[in-house]
Amino acid sequence: MSIATRISILFIAAAALLVAVATGSAAQREYQHVLQRLVETSQATVLGQWQLQVAIYNQDLAALEARSVDFFTSPAVVTVVIRDGSGEALAQRDRAGAAVSDLPRFKSTRGDLSVAEGGLVALDTMMQPVGTGLWDSLVHTDLPMYLSFPVFTSVNPTQRGLEVADFLVAQAGAFDNGSVRVIGYVELQVARQELLNAIAPLVSKVFYINLALLLLCAFVIVVFSRRITVGLTQLAKLADGVAEGRETDPLQIKASGEIRDIAQVLNSVLGGFSKAKAESDVGNRLLTRKVDERTVQLSQQEEQLHEAAREIN
């Protein structure tokens, strides 16, 4: 594996990790925003309906079912249960076509909440609390969450014979004297899958934008890593050629900094080698010429000796 490939893989892996972190952070923020908006909207609906107090007081089932429609403010709300002050269910309404789970006991969904507290609880199949965050929703998609709020009133719900006017007057001066009572509860069953569906468009958009940036970064990284390492590749080939004793031409590298300095040093060394080799070749040729001349002379002398010997004989 080349240096350029290793550098590219390293930086692309780091960029992919950043994309995953950015997408996860965006999903976490959007999930918390959607869930918080659901809680705030539901709580505002409970506080703003004095008619709900009257319907709970009178245990008017028709009115309670009519009031329960107002709590389907989000597709994530699949069931609305209105209870009296002791937690007994007075009315229940399910969203049409939604997958509704069996409701656990009200005591279980309230958990450690006090009588006057509202809260969000999630339970597993063993009725043990589980998390309500994004990662828990991804793991436990089929486990619903339960959001419950107390319904406050300024009248005394144990007093008999109260009229609508009594609740209107009490509502007008609600919380002024600091004396409020819990007359009932509103419990909502929240589907995790619908919450995930609500954040899916934004998360997908963030993911695809980050993916496009990742591809662009990958292209830039590959191009620049090859430009950076091409000089090192040429230096490696040059070193191999010198080590094997092959003749190599001076290295022409379009680079800057240390790589250029190394190339200049190697070129100067190669120049010295070439000069020494050229001088050595000249010396060898001269020596060969002298040997040839001497050989010719010896041959001539030998021939003359042979001719003289023949004449003597």
Side-chain angles (χ1 to χ4, degrees):
M1 186 181 296
S2 65
I3 297 177
T5 302
R6 293 179 181 177
I7 293 176
S8 299
I9 291 175
L10 176 62
F11 280 95
I12 291 173
L17 178 61
L18 290 177
V19 167
V21 171
T23 304
S25 298
Q28 178 70 24
R29 289 195 303 270
E30 183 65 11
Y31 178 86
Q32 292 297 334
H33 173 71
V34 170
L35 186 58
Q36 184 65 27
R37 185 171 56 191
L38 172 62
V39 172
E40 292 175 353
T41 302
S42 301
Q43 187 174 23
T45 304
V46 171
L47 295 176
Q49 288 198 16
W50 62 269
Q51 301 95 329
L52 182 61
Q53 304 171 25
V54 178
I56 294 175
Y57 176 78
N58 294 324
Q59 296 192 359
D60 186 344
L61 301 185
L64 289 173
E65 289 189 3
R67 297 271 70 84
S68 65
V69 176
D70 298 333
F71 291 96
F72 289 102
T73 56
S74 167
V77 179
V78 295
T79 300
V80 177
V81 182
I82 300 178
R83 302 178 182 272
D84 61 16
S86 62
E88 293 296 325
L90 300 177
Q92 177 176 336
R93 191 182 190 95
D94 299 328
R95 181 181 293 277
V100 179
S101 302
D102 295 334
L103 291 173
R105 293 188 305 166
F106 184 61
K107 183 179 180 181
S108 299
T109 60
R110 290 292 294 173
D112 296 330
L113 297 173
S114 67
V115 175
E117 283 184 312
L120 182 68
V121 175
L123 303 172
D124 60 14
T125 55
M126 303 299 294
M127 295 296 107
Q128 296 299 316
V130 294
T132 59
L134 173 62
W135 308 119
D136 292 291
S137 293
L138 291 173
V139 175
H140 306 291
T141 307
D142 57 330
L143 297 179
M145 297 185 290
Y146 302 93
L147 179 62
S148 60
F149 294 103
V151 180
F152 295 106
T153 182
S154 294
V155 302
N156 183 1
T158 61
Q159 183 180 346
R160 296 183 178 275
L162 293 176
E163 302 292 338
V164 174
D166 297 321
F167 286 90
L168 281 172
V169 172
Q171 181 72 14
F175 303 100
D176 286 345
N177 56 9
S179 177
V180 292
R181 299 173 177 85
V182 175
I183 194 174
Y185 294 91
V186 174
E187 182 182 11
L188 309 178
Q189 186 180 102
V190 181
R192 294 178 186 263
Q193 185 61 55
E194 293 297 331
L195 290 176
L196 297 177
N197 293 341
I199 69 173
L202 177 63
V203 175
S204 298
K205 183 178 180 180
V206 171
F207 172 75
Y208 286 120
I209 291 175
N210 288 331
L211 181 61
L213 292 176
L214 173 61
L215 294 176
L216 178 61
C217 290
F219 174 76
V220 173
I221 289 170
V222 170
V223 171
F224 275 90
S225 63
R226 292 187 181 280
R227 290 186 59 182
I228 292 172
T229 58
V230 65
L232 294 176
T233 303
Q234 292 176 335
L235 289 175
K237 291 181 179 179
L238 178 64
D240 291 339
V242 172
E244 294 175 1
R246 298 194 306 267
E247 293 187 9
T248 56
D249 297 327
L251 193 61
Q252 302 296 329
I253 295 180
K254 295 181 180 180
S256 59
E258 292 79 0
I259 296 179
R260 183 186 59 188
D261 296 338
I262 294 173
Q264 291 176 350
V265 171
L266 286 177
N267 285 333
S268 64
V269 172
L270 286 175
F273 285 160
S274 298
K275 183 178 180 181
K277 188 174 183 301
E279 293 176 352
S280 176
D281 291 341
V282 171
N284 289 335
R285 285 196 296 270
L286 292 174
L287 180 60
T288 301
R289 183 179 299 176
K290 289 181 179 181
V291 170
D292 292 340
E293 292 177 352
R294 189 60 178 169
T295 301
V296 171
Q297 292 176 359
L298 291 174
S299 299
Q300 292 175 352
Q301 291 177 359
E302 183 179 3
E303 185 178 352
Q304 291 175 358
L305 288 174
H306 284 300
E307 185 178 353
R310 285 195 300 270
E311 290 177 357
I312 293 173
N313 293 332

